[in-house]
Amino acid sequence: MAAGKPVVMVTLVSSDGQSFQLLEEAALLSAMVRDTIQIGQGRGPAGIPIRNITGQTLSMVVVYCNKHYTAAAAADGDDAADEEKKVANKKQLREWDEQFINLEQDKLYDILVAANNLGIDGLVDLCCWRFADMMKGKSASEIRVKLGIRDDFTSEQRAQIEKDSPWVWSRTT
Amino acid sequence: MAECGCESRDWAELPSDALVEVLGKLDVIDLLTGAGQVCRPWRQLTVTEPTLWRRVDMCDLNGDRGTRQAMLRTAVDRAAGTMEAFSADLFVTVDLLLYVSSRASSLKSLKLVLCLGISKEGLTEALKGLPHLEELDITFCSFLYGDVCQSIGKASPQLKCFRLNRIGPVQMFYGVDTEALGIANSMHDLRELQLIGNRLTNDGLISIIDHCLHLESVDVRRCYNVQMDDALKSKCARIRNLKLPHDSISDFKLRDYIFRYDLFGDLDVVTDDDDVYLYS
C-alpha cells in the first residue's frame, strides 16, 4: 500500500448474517463487488449482502482475497528488475494456493460455487484445478462414487453411449 | 443452492459455467472415458461444448488401435471445427489424418510421433486442409523425410515452428541437404526449427539461415555432418537459441528411443494386424 493513500474498508455480509470487513481493494477481486461499488452501493455501514454464501465459506473467500491482494500489492512495490524475487514470490503464492485449496470435497464445492457467484476468477480457476485433479484418471463410476452422483442415464441414453463411446463400458462397469 | 447447511452437495448440478472450467482442465481421455460419462448434465456438456476439445493430446494412450482411432474421431466431431492443437502417436493413419484435416481446418498445431503409417503423399494431402497451421512436429515418423519439406512449406504458409526429428544416424552418413533446402525454399516465416538427427551439411544450414530470416531458435543436435567452423558460427550469430550437433539431448522428451537406437543400432518396429509395437 502506498503511504498516504486513504484506507477504504468494505463489509461483506453472509447469508447467515456474519459480517466480514476487508480492504475495498481486496474485495474488488470479486466482479460482483466491483459492479456493486460501481453503481454507488455497498460502501455504507450496511455493507454488501452476499446471498447464498454462509459465513463459514465467506470467511475462506475473504482469506483468499486478502492474501492475493497483499501479494499483488507487494509485487507492485518490488523492484521490477528483480526477476529472481518475482519468480520466488510467485512460487510462494502458488504453494499457498495449493495448501489453501487442499480441502475436503464439500468445502471445495461451496467455495467453487461462492467464487463463481462472486466472480473471483483466480479462485474459480484454483477450485477447478483441484476438482479436476480429483477426477483425473478415474472412470465414470469411480467419480460417481467419490462425489455421490447418481447415474441418471435412461436406457435410450445408455444405448446411445454404447453406440458413440463403446470404450466406456470397459472402464465404467 | 447447496450452501444451506444441507448434508451433501449436488455435484451433478454444478453451475454449467463452473463445470465447463472444471472439464476444460481434463485431458480428452478423461472426458471420453471418465468425467464426460458420469451423468446426464456432464455428458451433455461434453457433447455440446466444443471449447473442451480445442487441445487434443492422444499420445501415450493405452488401449487397442481401433479404440484410439474411434476416440480421435469422436474428439474431432465434438470440437466441431474449433480444434486448435492435436498430437498423437503410433495409431494415426492417413485416413485418420484426412478425417482431422477435413473437419478441423482451424488446427494451428499438429504433432505426430512415431506415426509409421503416414506417407509423404498422405501428409501433404492432409496439410492442404489445414491452412492455419503454425506448428508442425514430425518426430520419428520413418517415411516422412526428403522432398516432403518443400510440400509442407507450400501447404502451410503460416508455419512458425517446424520439427522434423529422426532417430538416426548414430554414425556419420554422407550429407544430404534435400530437407534443408526444402525448408529454406518454402518456410520463410519460421521462428523455430528443430532437426534432431538430420543429415544436413553446413551448406544446408547456411541456406536455411539465409532464407528464413525470422528464425530465433535452431536445434541441430545429432546432425553430425554439420561442422561448426568460423563461417557457420558467424552465420548463426543472430540465432538466439542454438543447439549444436554434440549438445546433450537429455531435455528431449523422446530421448529414450534415441538412447536405445544408439545401444542396439536400430529401431525395431513390428507391425501386426492390431497394433504397432516397438522393441529395443
Side-chain angles (χ1 to χ4, degrees), chain A residues 52 54 57 105 109-110 116 125 128-129 131 137-138 144 147 152-154 157 161 164-165 167-168 171, chain B residues 1-3 9-11 14 17 21-22 25-26 30 32-34 37-40 42-43 71 74:
Chain A
N52 297 327
T54 62
T57 303
Q105 63 193 44
Y109 181 98
D110 292 343
N116 197 49
D125 199 53
C128 290
W129 275 117
F131 183 16
K138 290 199 169 65
R144 276 185 218 116
L147 301 178
D152 59 354
F153 292 116
T154 63
Q157 284 166 330
I161 293 173
D164 71 27
S165 318
W167 54 81
V168 169
R171 240 183 113 171
Chain B
M1 180 127 327
E3 175 82 27
R9 281 70 176 165
D10 191 353
W11 290 90
L14 206 62
D17 48 351
E21 290 273 331
V22 173
K25 299 190 188 325
L26 290 169
D30 281 313
L32 287 169
T33 61
Q37 314 281 10
V38 164
C39 57
R40 288 196 328 213
W42 289 24
R43 179 175 150 88
M71 284 177 167
T74 302

Side-chain angles (χ1 to χ4, degrees), chain B residues 102-207:
Chain B
S102 63
R103 287 165 180 80
S105 63
S106 53
L107 211 65
K108 288 187 179 154
S109 167
L110 174 63
K111 187 172 179 180
L112 301 169
V113 179
L114 287 159
C115 293
L116 307 174
I118 294 184
S119 61
K120 292 181 209 177
E121 296 73 22
L123 177 69
T124 309
E125 186 60 30
L127 289 180
K128 286 181 190 159
L130 306 172
H132 305 293
L133 210 62
E134 292 179 7
E135 179 180 11
L136 177 61
D137 185 325
I138 300 171
T139 292
F140 307 160
C141 300
S142 306
F143 303 108
L144 300 176
Y145 61 89
D147 54 3
V148 73
C149 292
Q150 180 98 16
S151 334
I152 291 172
K154 274 193 187 147
S156 309
Q158 300 192 32
L159 213 57
K160 305 262 187 307
C161 170
F162 182 53
R163 302 192 193 98
L164 183 69
N165 299 319
R166 300 186 70 183
I167 286 201
V170 66
Q171 70 273 50
M172 289 279 280
F173 281 89
Y174 55 91
V176 178
D177 281 326
T178 319
E179 288 144 19
L181 296 178
I183 292 167
N185 287 335
S186 67
M187 300 185 191
H188 297 152
D189 222 13
L190 276 191
R191 268 39 173 195
E192 188 184 335
L193 176 66
Q194 184 176 58
L195 293 172
I196 294 179
N198 196 280
R199 293 186 195 170
L200 86 167
T201 66
N202 283 27
D203 290 346
L205 185 52
I206 286 174
S207 186

Side-chain angles (χ1 to χ4, degrees), chain A residues 141-154:
Chain A
S141 60
E142 285 168 336
I143 295 171
R144 276 185 218 116
V145 170
K146 180 155 179 58
L147 301 178
I149 297 174
R150 200 171 56 87
D151 180 349
D152 59 354
F153 292 116
T154 63

Side-chain angles (χ1 to χ4, degrees), chain B residues 90-107:
Chain B
L90 290 169
F91 70 89
V92 180
T93 60
V94 170
D95 278 354
L96 266 182
L97 202 55
L98 290 172
Y99 191 85
V100 173
S101 158
S102 63
R103 287 165 180 80
S105 63
S106 53
L107 211 65

Side-chain angles (χ1 to χ4, degrees), chain A residues 67-95:
Chain A
K67 177 71 187 179
H68 276 255
Y69 165 70
T70 316
D76 277 348
D78 280 349
D79 182 1
D82 194 348
E83 275 299 321
E84 221 167 277
K85 193 172 176 192
K86 264 193 218 166
V87 172
N89 286 343
K90 256 192 191 162
K91 186 170 170 250
Q92 223 171 25
L93 187 61
R94 209 167 45 234
E95 283 166 4

